Amino acid sequence: MTEWLQCLVYFLLMWPLKPMGAFPRSSRDVGGSRTQWDVPCRENLEYQQGNICCLNCPAGTRLISPCDRAGRRGQCEECDDGTYTEHDNGLKHCFKCTQCHSDQEIVRPCTHTQDTECQCKLGRFCDPDDACEVCKRCSRCGTDEVVVRNCTPTANTECKKIQPISDSTSAGTSVTLVCVVIVGVVLVIGIMVFIFVRRRRATGSQRNPDGLKAGQHHSDTCPAEESSNGETRRPSRMNLIPSRQLVRALSSAGTEDERKVLCESLSSSASNSQHSLTGPPCSAFPAPPPPQASPVVLRQPNREDEQFPTLVPVNGEESLRSCLPYFEEIDYDLHKRFFRHLGINDNEIKSRESLPYDDKIHELLKVWMEKRGREASLNDLLKALLDLNHRRTAEIIKEKALDNGHYVCKC
């Protein structure tokens, strides 16, 4: 009787522990199979085969039959000619080698471990960040531009505008040239006048007018001039040189009248010569007006600068799955860069090349959700589009998610 009571007490104590999780459940109790989270295979080193992880086949080979024990490698076979695999993999088929287009040339031929490498021919280029379907013709710089960098197979020609000479510099150069010309003209005139005076002096020293003694100067016979302050001054010796025209015009009225006319004429000519030698200063020319400052243009706010809103799911993970078809808006040339940015490797992208584009986008998004698990969020997908400068596509997907009631904006 005592033993029976002990068994009953033991049974009553142990019975509540089972639903409370006292005994851990094995992975085989959940539906009889293991999931990807239960079997953590090493990425890029192993692949999942049922409930075990097998080692990947080496690059340049494909899988023929999987392994039967965890941590082992199955049967692998080398890729056929014209096919390749660049990385360790668990694929059953190798990728077909790329064929270069007619406007491209082969840089490196295809092998079992690498694809064909093509580049545009001379005079054409293709941006390596975009899908190179057609090589574009290299641009030529205009007449008002200079070449900064020549065209290469992966980059177009870079040109730079020739900077025009500023108005202030050209105006200052013009004023300087005018001043130089004026100074040169004044110097030439001065030299010509100096030569002319020297010749007249030599002629006057040889032909003295009648009534003058040898060695006597005209200053002795010319009347003195009275200045405005009352002082008496006589014309200089240089100003007393007679001219041929003046000598011929003299009359024979008398020596005294001849002397007076000669002195007045020489004083006038000396005054005119003095004015000719003095040129207008450079400051007499008006300075060019200062260049007007260009008006300040206020920068208008751009929509690209606005912060992208954060979206909150209405129905948890189901809201994210409902928005996956919206990502068919992604351009074909962008989708590979988009999924690489999300952490999807090239083998997984290329393994779905045979699918239609919409199905390929859907399958790769599912792969991303499986990797992220509960951390998968629509905001991460939209941020990836923003990082790749495709804000318009992100805006379209956001509007569809809001209009269909799958998400709401976080205020």
Side-chain angles (χ1 to χ4, degrees):
M1 185 67 180
T2 304
E3 294 179 356
W4 183 84
L5 289 175
Q6 291 178 352
C7 291
L8 179 62
V9 171
Y10 178 79
F11 178 77
L12 292 175
L13 291 175
M14 298 299 297
W15 175 257
L17 295 178
K18 185 175 182 180
M20 293 175 64
F23 296 96
R25 301 172 63 187
S26 65
S27 59
R28 296 184 180 276
D29 295 336
V30 184
S33 63
R34 298 178 125 186
T35 62
Q36 183 177 357
W37 293 277
D38 297 325
V39 183
C41 296
R42 294 175 294 176
E43 188 176 3
N44 297 328
L45 295 177
E46 297 176 333
Y47 64 92
Q48 183 176 349
Q49 177 63 35
N51 297 327
I52 61 176
C53 293
C54 299
L55 294 177
N56 286 336
C57 290
T61 62
R62 61 187 180 91
L63 178 65
I64 299 299
S65 59
C67 66
D68 53 359
R69 293 176 60 186
R72 296 294 182 88
R73 179 172 290 159
Q75 184 179 359
C76 304
E77 184 180 62
E78 188 177 15
C79 294
D80 298 333
D81 293 339
T83 60
Y84 73 99
T85 53
E86 292 185 357
H87 310 284
D88 295 350
N89 63 90
L91 303 175
K92 295 183 179 180
H93 300 283
C94 298
F95 301 116
K96 187 176 181 181
C97 295
T98 301
Q99 299 293 327
C100 295
H101 300 299
S102 58
D103 54 358
Q104 295 177 329
E105 58 186 3
I106 298 176
V107 178
R108 187 170 58 184
C110 182
T111 63
H112 291 157
T113 58
Q114 66 183 11
D115 193 11
T116 309
E117 185 176 345
C118 307
Q119 74 174 16
C120 295
K121 294 182 179 179
L122 184 64
R124 296 179 176 273
F125 77 99
C126 185
D127 191 347
D129 293 334
D130 299 331
C132 189
E133 298 295 336
V134 178
C135 292
K136 302 176 183 178
R137 190 178 299 275
C138 296
S139 303
R140 293 184 178 180
C141 297
T143 55
D144 58 342
E145 297 176 329
V146 293
V147 178
V148 178
R149 187 179 67 181
N150 293 324
C151 184
T152 64
T154 57
N156 195 9
T157 309
E158 288 189 11
C159 304
K160 182 180 180 181
K161 289 283 186 181
I162 300 175
Q163 296 294 336
I165 300 176
S166 60
D167 296 339
S168 59
T169 304
S170 60
T173 305
S174 301
V175 172
T176 305
L177 291 176
V178 171
C179 292
V180 171
V181 171
I182 292 175
V183 172
V185 171
V186 171
L187 290 176
V188 171
I189 294 175
I191 294 173
M192 292 177 64
V193 170
F194 178 75
I195 295 173
F196 178 77
V197 170
R198 289 292 299 271
R199 288 181 180 179
R200 289 300 181 186
R201 175 181 292 182
T203 304
S205 62
Q206 295 177 0
R207 298 179 60 185
N208 289 326
D210 296 339
L212 294 178
K213 296 180 181 180
Q216 186 179 10
H217 299 288
H218 289 281
S219 59
D220 298 333
T221 59
C222 290
E225 297 179 0
E226 185 176 359
S227 61
S228 59
N229 56 4
E231 297 179 356
T232 303
R233 60 184 180 87
R234 293 180 180 273
S236 62
R237 181 176 297 179
M238 185 180 294
N239 297 337
L240 299 179
I241 301 175
S243 62
R244 293 183 181 180
Q245 293 80 359
L246 185 58
V247 173
R248 292 178 182 176
L250 292 177
S251 63
S252 58
T255 305
E256 197 68 31
D257 295 337
E258 181 180 350
R259 292 173 183 173
K260 292 181 179 181
V261 173
L262 178 61
C263 290
E264 292 176 358
S265 300
L266 290 176
S267 298
S268 177
S269 63
S271 177
N272 293 336
S273 300
Q274 184 67 23
H275 285 291
S276 300
L277 289 172
T278 306
C282 294
S283 60
F285 294 89
Q292 297 181 356
S294 57
V296 179
V297 180
L298 296 178
R299 182 174 179 268
Q300 298 295 331
N302 190 0
R303 188 177 182 183
E304 298 292 336
D305 300 335
E306 297 178 1
Q307 185 176 4
F308 204 82
T310 303
L311 302 183
V312 179
V314 176
N315 196 16
E317 184 179 350
E318 187 62 29
S319 296
L320 177 59
R321 293 185 180 276
S322 301
C323 294
L324 295 185
Y326 302 157
F327 285 85
E328 298 170 5
E329 297 286 342
I330 299 176
D331 294 339
Y332 180 83
D333 297 339
L334 174 68
H335 78 282
K336 290 183 179 180
R337 293 173 56 198
F338 174 71
F339 286 110
R340 290 192 194 105
H341 192 75
L342 294 175
I344 307 299
N345 58 46
D346 289 339
N347 285 336
E348 293 176 339
I349 297 175
K350 289 184 178 180
S351 63
R352 291 163 176 82
E353 287 291 336
S354 59
L355 298 175
Y357 181 70
D358 297 346
D359 296 340
K360 178 168 58 175
I361 297 295
H362 207 76
E363 290 295 325
L364 291 175
L365 287 174
K366 287 183 177 179
V367 172
W368 175 78
M369 289 182 63
E370 291 178 357
K371 287 192 173 189
R372 296 286 293 177
R374 295 181 179 180
E375 297 180 359
S377 171
L378 180 63
N379 296 307
D380 295 338
L381 299 177
L382 297 178
K383 184 179 182 300
L385 291 174
L386 296 176
D387 293 342
L388 297 175
N389 295 326
H390 280 265
R391 187 184 183 93
R392 178 176 176 80
T393 305
E395 291 281 357
I396 293 174
I397 296 174
K398 180 199 72 173
E399 294 298 333
K400 289 185 177 181
L402 295 175
D403 293 344
N404 295 327
H406 302 305
Y407 281 82
V408 294
C409 283
K410 182 180 180 181
C411 300

